[in-house]
């Protein structure tokens, strides 16, 4: 094999057909080899395999990863180590960082972790390069298919959720206390809006969500809305617990009367969201100052905006998207993104530094 193409399951034949059209019938293309879904083998491209790989990267968006095979051996640990070191010596230099990425298919006497550890140690000794599992400059892929192991160099970039210097807004969102006006209307609209607001608040794991009453409200409407908000929070929370590799904050819900809420939060930062306010990025430095407090309160209207009398008690009045009136169920997501963007511009968010300490300069 010259190239290994990784694709979404179900796209094997589609990608194989596209590659055939691009490269011609002289090239052997095998979708789902040995029945392994998500894989396409390309063979017979000869010495120009890197040029072919780069062309596929540019022309085939269905290809998630394009791996150039630089060595093939038996799926035995000593042999994998030997060939991987040979490839690494040509690919990895002192001063580079690397990681071993192993995918094992079939039954073996060793695990993928065993391969990563053994080969990683051998490559480090042979090249004097540093291991960096998160953002290696030279990742090395080992693809094992039953009794065959392919040592590969990726022609595609690695994408990861967290990279060094990415801002981390989650703890900032935990300081956010949202005062959301109750939504009134027909029963179905109230239910849908409440569920969407609850899901949005839980998505960003804000510190708290308070439903605000600012005039006489039907008890039935209040009950429907609160039940829907709770359902929205719970449904999103359950998904987060299953899919996140960390503890998840479940957003608490409270109910308060608007003007008493404002009085109760005297001395704390209070931000009103309203189209008549300043564009949020224009007041980013003031916003950053407010987030030095333990809690920052944000008021969000619903159909009717926040009463202007409250503006006098606000630390800031901000417009999230000038010239656009945001639908009630989109305000919390828009607010969260705006807060993260503004605080990042103000250099007020912590940055991800990675799990691995940087190499000493000594």
């Amino acid at each position: 094999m010259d190239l290994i193409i990784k694709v979404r399951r179900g796209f094997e034949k589609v990608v194989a057909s596209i590659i055939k059209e691009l490269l011609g019938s002289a090239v052997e293309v095998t979708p789902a080899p040995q029945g392994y879904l998500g894989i396409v083998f390309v063979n017979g491209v000869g010495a120009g395999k890197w040029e072919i790989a780069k062309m596929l990267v540019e022309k085939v968006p269905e290809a998630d990863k394009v791996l150039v095979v630089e060595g093939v051996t038996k799926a035995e640990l000593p042999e994998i180590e030997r060939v991987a070191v040979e490839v690494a010596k040509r690919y990895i230099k002192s001063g580079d960082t690397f990681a071993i990425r192993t995918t094992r298919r079939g039954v073996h006497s060793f695990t993928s972790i065993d391969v990563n550890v053994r080969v990683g140690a051998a490559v480090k000794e042979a090249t004097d390069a540093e291991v960096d599992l998160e953002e290696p400059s030279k990742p090395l892929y080992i693809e094992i298919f039953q009794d065959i192991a392919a040592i590969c160099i990726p022609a595609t970039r690695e994408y990861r959720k967290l990279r060094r210097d990415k801002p981390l807004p989650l703890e900032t969102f935990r300081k956010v206390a949202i005062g959301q006006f109750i939504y009134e209307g027909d029963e179905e609209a109230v239910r849908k809006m409440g569920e969407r607001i609850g899901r949005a608040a839980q998505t960003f794991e804000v510190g708290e969500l308070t439903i605000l009453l600012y005039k006489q409200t039907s008890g039935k409407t209040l009950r429907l809305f609160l039940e829907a908000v709770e359902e929205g929070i719970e449904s999103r929370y359950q998904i987060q617990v299953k899919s996140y590799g960390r503890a998840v904050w479940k957003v608490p819900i409270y109910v308060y009367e608007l003007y008493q809420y404002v009085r109760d939060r005297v001395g704390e930062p209070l931000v009103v969201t309203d189209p008549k306010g300043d564009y949020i990025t224009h007041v980013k430095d003031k916003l950053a100052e407010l987030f030095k407090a333990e809690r920052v309160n944000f008021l969000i209207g619903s159909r009717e905006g926040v009463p202007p009398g409250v503006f006098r008690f606000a630390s800031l009045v901000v417009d999230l998207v000038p010239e656009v009136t945001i639908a009630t169920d989109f305000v919390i997501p828009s607010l969260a993104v705006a807060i993260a963007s503004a605080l990042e511009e103000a250099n007020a968010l912590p940055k991800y530094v990675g799990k691995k300490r940087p190499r000493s300069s000594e």
Side-chain angles (χ1 to χ4, degrees):
M1 66 191 86
D2 291 321
L3 304 174
I4 297 174
I5 316 297
K6 291 191 172 185
V7 303
R8 294 292 177 97
R9 291 191 175 197
F11 279 77
E12 299 86 0
K13 291 183 179 179
V14 172
V15 172
S17 176
I18 293 170
I19 293 174
K20 273 283 190 184
E21 290 178 7
L22 289 171
L23 303 183
S25 58
V27 174
E28 181 184 349
V29 183
T30 307
Q34 302 176 50
Y36 290 116
L37 300 178
I39 298 293
V40 177
F41 282 174
V42 180
N43 201 13
V45 299
K49 60 185 176 182
W50 269 102
E51 287 71 21
I52 296 297
K54 290 175 182 176
M55 182 184 73
L56 297 181
V57 170
E58 293 174 356
K59 295 182 178 294
V60 187
E62 294 89 345
D64 291 336
K65 284 190 177 70
V66 178
L67 305 178
V68 180
V69 179
E70 291 289 350
V72 178
T73 185
K74 296 178 181 178
E76 299 172 359
L77 265 178
E79 284 299 300
I80 294 172
E81 177 187 342
R82 180 183 64 80
V83 176
V85 167
E86 290 176 0
V87 173
K89 285 179 178 179
R90 301 194 301 267
Y91 172 54
I92 301 170
K93 307 299 180 186
S94 176
D96 289 335
T97 59
F98 77 95
I100 308 299
R101 314 284 198 210
T102 302
T103 303
R104 189 174 54 85
R105 305 165 185 86
V107 179
H108 306 90
S109 61
F110 53 84
T111 67
S112 297
I113 294 176
D114 293 334
V115 177
N116 290 343
V117 171
R118 180 161 174 171
V119 173
V123 169
K124 179 175 170 55
E125 182 177 357
T127 64
D128 195 34
E130 284 290 303
V131 175
D132 185 345
L133 300 181
E134 295 182 280
E135 295 181 62
S137 60
K138 299 287 183 68
L140 194 65
Y141 282 70
I142 299 176
E143 301 290 324
I144 301 174
F145 300 90
Q146 299 289 359
D147 57 348
I148 296 295
I151 315 303
C152 311
I153 297 174
T156 41
R157 170 188 168 187
E158 289 191 331
Y159 291 90
R160 301 181 71 81
K161 289 183 178 180
L162 283 180
R163 297 190 297 277
R164 293 184 184 91
D165 292 329
K166 248 192 175 182
L168 300 175
L170 192 60
E171 288 304 314
T172 297
F173 291 151
R174 198 65 51 79
K175 291 185 175 185
V176 171
I178 292 177
Q180 168 70 61
F181 284 25
I182 188 172
Y183 185 87
E184 296 183 281
D186 63 78
E187 291 185 12
E188 185 63 15
V190 169
R191 187 188 63 77
K192 286 183 177 179
M193 191 63 70
E195 185 173 347
R196 290 170 182 168
I197 288 171
R199 285 179 63 85
Q202 183 59 46
T203 294
F204 295 96
E205 298 177 57
V206 298
E208 62 182 61
L209 174 62
T210 300
I211 306 306
L212 297 177
L213 307 177
Y214 59 99
K215 62 182 180 180
Q216 180 174 291
T217 300
S218 160
K220 185 176 183 180
T221 297
L222 177 59
R223 177 177 58 80
L224 282 174
F225 188 68
L226 288 175
E227 287 177 350
V229 170
E230 288 178 345
E231 288 172 7
I233 288 176
E234 182 64 28
S235 64
R236 184 60 193 166
Y237 175 75
Q238 291 301 330
I239 292 172
Q240 290 170 320
V241 167
K242 291 177 182 177
S243 59
Y244 289 2
R246 59 169 176 80
V248 180
W249 169 259
K250 189 173 185 181
V251 177
I253 310 171
Y254 306 105
V255 180
Y256 221 144
E257 192 274 330
L258 168 64
Y259 298 105
Q260 296 307 315
Y261 180 88
V262 172
R263 290 188 175 96
D264 185 63
R265 306 292 167 113
V266 167
E268 297 183 16
L270 178 67
V271 181
V272 173
T273 61
D274 192 277
K276 295 183 284 292
D278 296 312
Y279 183 36
I280 191 167
T281 61
H282 290 175
V283 291
K284 59 181 182 292
D285 294 324
K286 292 181 181 178
L287 188 68
E289 282 295 316
L290 297 184
F291 269 96
K292 291 179 180 179
E294 291 298 314
R295 181 168 64 180
V296 183
N297 304 281
F298 288 83
L299 296 184
I300 299 174
S302 174
R303 287 193 169 179
E304 297 180 30
V306 177
V310 175
F311 290 14
R312 299 195 305 273
F313 297 83
S315 309
L316 287 174
V317 180
V318 298
D319 187 5
L320 303 180
V321 185
E323 296 191 298
V324 174
T325 299
I326 303 173
T328 301
D329 51 336
F330 290 144
V331 176
I332 290 177
S334 301
L335 174 62
V337 172
I339 289 171
S341 300
L343 295 183
E344 167 63 7
E345 283 191 22
N347 199 29
L349 288 179
K351 303 288 179 62
Y352 182 68
V353 296
K355 296 178 182 177
K356 173 184 174 296
R357 297 185 64 180
R359 187 177 184 178
S360 172
S361 58
E362 295 180 1

